[in-house]
């Protein structure tokens, strides 16, 4: 551990990533945020995530305004809502986006050429990447073929799972002891326990920069369980260093009620902030730590902090993965792959279609390349 891994609470988010949302009549979208001209036939604008979080800050502004802004964001982030919105994404815009973020499968030769002579390091989100998005988050199981392929890849590449889920929960899904696991959006990191030839002593790696928030998180978790218990479909998940309120199975007519319930709990905790993923509201400590910081920490632990011979690949599908995509762009090393059926503002270089089979196909190609190289130099599988 070095001083670089020490973080302190900060009341402001350091995130400034852009996202794409559906246009609404709400005042949330009437700000004069700078944006590029919309593609013909689309009803989408781009606003900064930092601006969005300011509007969603449950500790600022009038209560009704906060709820209205929050509701608009919940609707805008809903894949079902976006799909049914008038003025859906035009073919022209889809084609333009695909040109900027081509399929990783179509560009695989270019990807492998760029990685020649370098150590590939794999970073993978879990939900929506290694497993499909499902209504019950406790049943987000990865397939046996996916697990087998990840296991094989981990023999050749250092491999990490970076998830918003509790680290222990992700491990219970993946069940591979040779991987690195970064749970709670990177706030709980642990190295392999066995079977990895890449760890260089990293089995002792343990990073928990938000430990001081644990009593607060547990307290808020119990309160959220109590206030949401009568909202059908609502599920509160304790991810140790952060909390998730899933509304995928909640009737949209009940979202306003759910927003008020969560607000009633969070308003007394200025050291916690609200973010949002795919039909999930996430509550986490206000520290400058995210999946991008977790990626940097793991590269440092592996001895690649300042190396030029490393090629990190990060595959993810959620807004929270954008922090890691951005880090890779800023480093000028490796690339990000966004798993998504629809265009989104992203720092990723390439894309893959949902569901997880596209990721599986990418892994399978990587495996074949590795095995081919091994045969060429006389190594045994």
């Amino acid at each position: 551990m070095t001083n670089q891994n020490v973080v302190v609470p900060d009341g402001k988010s350091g995130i400034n990533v852009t996202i794409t949302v559906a246009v609404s009549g709400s005042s949330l979208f009437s700000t004069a945020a700078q944006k590029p001209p919309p593609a013909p036939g689309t009803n989408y604008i781009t606003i900064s995530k930092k601006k969005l979080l300011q509007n969603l800050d449950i500790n600022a502004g009038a209560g009704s305004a906060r709820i209205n802004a929050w509701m608009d964001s919940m609707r805008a982030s809903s894949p079902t809502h976006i799909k049914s919105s008038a003025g859906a994404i035009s073919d022209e815009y889809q084609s333009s986006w695909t040109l900027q973020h081509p399929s990783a499968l179509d560009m695989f030769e270019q990807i492998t050429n760029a990685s020649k002579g370098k150590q590939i390091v794999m970073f993978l989100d879990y939900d929506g990447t290694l497993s499909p998005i499902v209504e019950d988050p406790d049943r987000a199981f990865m397939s046996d073929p996916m697990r087998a392929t990840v296991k094989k890849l981990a023999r050749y590449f250092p491999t990490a799972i970076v998830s918003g889920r509790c680290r222990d929960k992700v491990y219970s899904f993946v069940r591979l002891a040779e991987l690195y696991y970064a749970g709670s959006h990177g706030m709980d990191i642990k190295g392999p326990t066995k079977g990895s030839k890449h760890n260089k002593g990293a089995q002792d790696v343990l990073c928990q920069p938000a430990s001081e928030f644990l009593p607060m998180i547990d307290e808020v978790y119990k309160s959220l369980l109590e206030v949401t218990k009568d909202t059908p479909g609502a599920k509160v998940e304790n991810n140790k260093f952060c909390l998730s309120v899933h509304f995928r199975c909640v009737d949209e007519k009940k979202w306003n009620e759910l927003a008020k319930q969560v607000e009633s709990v969070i308003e007394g905790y200025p050291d916690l902030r609200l973010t949002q993923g795919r039909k999930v509201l996430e509550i986490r400590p206000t520290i400058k730590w995210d999946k991008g910081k977790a990626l940097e920490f793991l590269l440092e632990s592996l001895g690649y902090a300042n190396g030029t011979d490393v090629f990190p690949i990060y595959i993810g599908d959620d807004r929270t993965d954008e922090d890691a995509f951005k880090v890779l762009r800023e480093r000028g090393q490796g690339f990000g792959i966004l798993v998504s059926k629809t265009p989104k503002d992203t720092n990723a270089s390439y894309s893959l279609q949902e569901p997880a089979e596209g990721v599986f196909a990418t892994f399978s190609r990587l495996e074949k390349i590795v095995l081919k190289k091994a045969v060429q130099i006389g190594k045994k599988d």
Side-chain angles (χ1 to χ4, degrees):
M1 299 287 183
T2 70
N3 289 333
Q4 293 177 337
N5 300 324
V6 178
V7 294
V8 296
D10 187 283
K12 296 182 179 180
S13 169
I15 303 171
N16 189 19
V17 185
T18 54
I19 61 172
T20 301
V21 296
V23 169
S24 166
S26 165
S27 60
L28 173 62
F29 303 102
S30 64
T31 60
Q34 185 176 1
K35 57 185 181 292
T42 67
N43 282 342
Y44 286 78
I45 62 173
T46 299
I47 62 174
S48 73
K49 186 171 183 181
K50 184 174 182 181
K51 185 66 177 178
L52 177 62
L53 289 176
Q54 288 172 350
N55 280 279
L56 292 182
D57 185 354
I58 56 179
N59 298 306
S64 60
R66 292 196 301 268
I67 295 296
N68 289 338
W70 196 0
M71 286 287 294
D72 281 331
S73 182
M74 291 168 72
R75 293 191 184 99
S77 70
S78 166
T80 303
H81 176 79
I82 291 174
K83 184 177 180 180
S84 63
S85 295
I89 298 171
S90 69
D91 291 341
E92 182 179 351
Y93 183 62
Q94 177 79 51
S95 299
S96 174
W97 187 88
T98 302
L99 285 174
Q100 296 179 55
H101 310 284
S103 167
L105 296 177
D106 294 341
M107 304 296 289
F108 209 81
E109 184 176 350
Q110 290 92 324
I111 292 172
T112 54
N113 288 338
S115 67
K116 282 183 179 178
K118 299 179 181 180
Q119 173 63 62
I120 293 175
V121 183
M122 297 296 303
F123 296 92
L124 311 166
D125 180 33
Y126 184 76
D127 293 274
T129 300
L130 295 181
S131 74
I133 295 293
V134 294
E135 289 190 352
D136 183 354
D138 289 333
R139 300 190 61 81
F141 304 121
M142 67 188 300
S143 67
D144 289 336
M146 178 74 84
R147 180 179 295 103
T149 302
V150 173
K151 182 178 178 66
K152 290 178 182 178
L153 285 179
R155 295 175 60 184
Y156 302 101
F157 312 136
T159 303
I161 309 296
V162 187
S163 173
R165 300 269 204 143
C166 170
R167 175 167 56 84
D168 290 340
K169 170 67 78 172
V170 177
Y171 182 83
S172 72
F173 285 143
V174 180
R175 304 195 307 275
L176 295 175
E178 57 268 43
L179 305 185
Y180 296 82
Y181 290 88
S184 302
H185 298 288
M187 288 184 282
D188 189 9
I189 303 175
K190 198 173 188 304
T193 55
K194 65 177 183 179
S196 175
K197 65 180 181 180
H198 310 288
N199 54 24
K200 300 179 182 179
Q203 68 271 16
D204 298 322
V205 168
L206 180 63
C207 178
Q208 296 179 331
S211 294
E212 65 184 280
F213 290 90
L214 284 176
M216 184 185 299
I217 293 292
D218 288 339
E219 184 178 316
V220 172
Y221 172 64
K222 294 174 183 176
S223 297
L224 286 172
L225 284 177
E226 181 63 27
V227 301
T228 62
K229 65 182 181 181
D230 295 326
T231 302
K235 181 178 179 61
V236 184
E237 185 176 12
N238 189 338
N239 293 312
K240 190 172 183 177
F241 293 97
C242 60
L243 302 170
S244 298
V245 181
H246 299 273
F247 60 93
R248 180 171 297 276
C249 297
V250 176
D251 189 315
E252 186 172 341
K253 295 177 182 178
K254 294 285 187 178
W255 287 2
N256 186 64
E257 177 184 336
L258 180 63
K260 290 179 179 179
Q261 291 168 344
V262 175
E263 182 195 31
S264 70
V265 174
I266 304 302
E267 62 183 358
Y269 296 89
D271 289 331
L272 298 178
R273 65 184 173 96
L274 172 72
T275 60
Q276 190 175 328
R278 295 180 63 179
K279 287 210 170 180
V280 60
L281 302 170
E282 295 178 315
I283 298 148
R284 20 178 178 161
T286 54
I287 65 171
K288 292 183 178 179
W289 195 267
D290 51 40
K291 290 184 176 182
K293 294 290 187 182
L295 182 150
E296 291 178 316
F297 174 85
L298 285 167
L299 287 178
E300 180 177 347
S301 299
L302 286 161
Y304 296 122
N306 301 307
T308 58
D309 58 345
V310 62
F311 197 82
I313 299 175
Y314 189 107
I315 306 178
D317 75 312
D318 199 66
R319 291 179 186 175
T320 57
D321 298 310
E322 289 298 326
D323 299 312
F325 295 153
K326 183 179 180 182
V327 165
L328 293 182
R329 279 200 177 272
E330 291 174 347
R331 288 175 65 95
Q333 291 180 311
F335 55 81
I337 300 177
L338 175 68
V339 183
S340 178
K341 284 182 178 179
T342 58
K344 302 177 182 178
D345 271 5
T346 181
N347 282 295
S349 301
Y350 301 100
S351 63
L352 285 172
Q353 291 284 305
E354 296 175 290
E357 280 73 13
V359 182
F360 176 73
T362 301
F363 288 173
S364 297
R365 292 194 184 187
L366 280 171
E367 179 192 358
K368 289 178 181 179
I369 289 173
V370 170
L371 293 177
K372 181 178 179 180
K373 288 182 179 180
V375 170
Q376 289 174 344
I377 61 177
K379 291 184 178 180
K380 295 181 179 180
D381 181 17

